[in-house]
Amino acid sequence: MVRDYECDIEGIVNNANYLHYTEHTRHLFLKECGLSFAEMHRKGIDAVVARMNLKFKTPLQCDDEFISRLALKKDGIKYVFTQDIFRASDEKLCFQGVIDIVCLVNGRLASCDEYDRAFEKYLSK
């Protein structure tokens, strides 16, 4: 649900907050896959955003409930998350994002077997 402090003077969700929503969705997805973002960091593996392509469609407003959905594919060493946010009341598309994530293993750009295994059943073939 959109909280009042996430809105700007125009009464709509400030664009930066959509990034928080999508990041939270990715973190929940990691947990669903059996991974802990914090535990991976302790192992020296950090998944970081490399690129974002964002489209703002219909603004969310205070107290709007929303649905955040994602799809995943792998492109080389990148994990490409396609993320959509819909207003729950009418499923109107509010936001679309394509977010490229890469892994740093001990500070160096690298493939990550742990993420590959965890995402295996979700990756588009």
Side-chain angles (χ1 to χ4, degrees):
M1 178 182 295
V2 174
R3 296 162 287 211
D4 60 343
Y5 65 83
E6 296 171 331
C7 297
D8 57 25
I9 198 165
E10 298 166 331
I12 60 175
V13 170
N14 180 278
N15 59 358
N17 286 305
Y18 291 93
L19 304 181
H20 295 289
Y21 301 158
T22 58
E23 181 176 34
H24 184 66
T25 299
R26 290 192 307 276
H27 284 220
L28 291 175
F29 177 71
L30 283 179
K31 285 186 177 187
E32 180 71 24
C33 292
L35 294 175
S36 161
F37 199 70
E39 181 59 30
M40 295 299 286
H41 173 73
R42 285 190 282 278
K43 291 181 178 181
I45 301 169
D46 295 304
V48 298
V49 172
R51 177 177 300 146
M52 296 179 146
N53 182 357
L54 311 175
K55 295 178 185 176
F56 299 91
K57 303 301 230 174
T58 301
L60 288 167
Q61 299 177 330
C62 187
D63 293 333
D64 278 347
E65 292 187 7
F66 59 89
I67 301 162
S68 183
R69 296 184 178 133
L70 65 78
L72 174 63
K73 70 178 183 176
K74 190 161 185 202
D75 181 13
I77 63 170
K78 295 184 299 189
Y79 300 100
V80 180
F81 287 86
T82 301
Q83 295 188 245
D84 297 318
I85 295 176
F86 300 88
R87 187 170 50 215
S89 63
D90 58 3
E91 293 217 17
K92 182 112 177 161
L93 180 63
C94 298
F95 172 88
Q96 292 180 305
V98 178
I99 296 97
D100 294 348
I101 304 292
V102 295
C103 288
L104 301 177
V105 179
N106 297 318
R108 301 183 67 113
L109 185 62
S111 292
C112 180
D113 293 335
E114 289 93 333
Y115 277 97
D116 286 345
R117 280 192 300 276
F119 294 161
E120 186 174 34
K121 73 179 183 178
Y122 299 102
L123 288 172
S124 303
K125 302 287 184 202

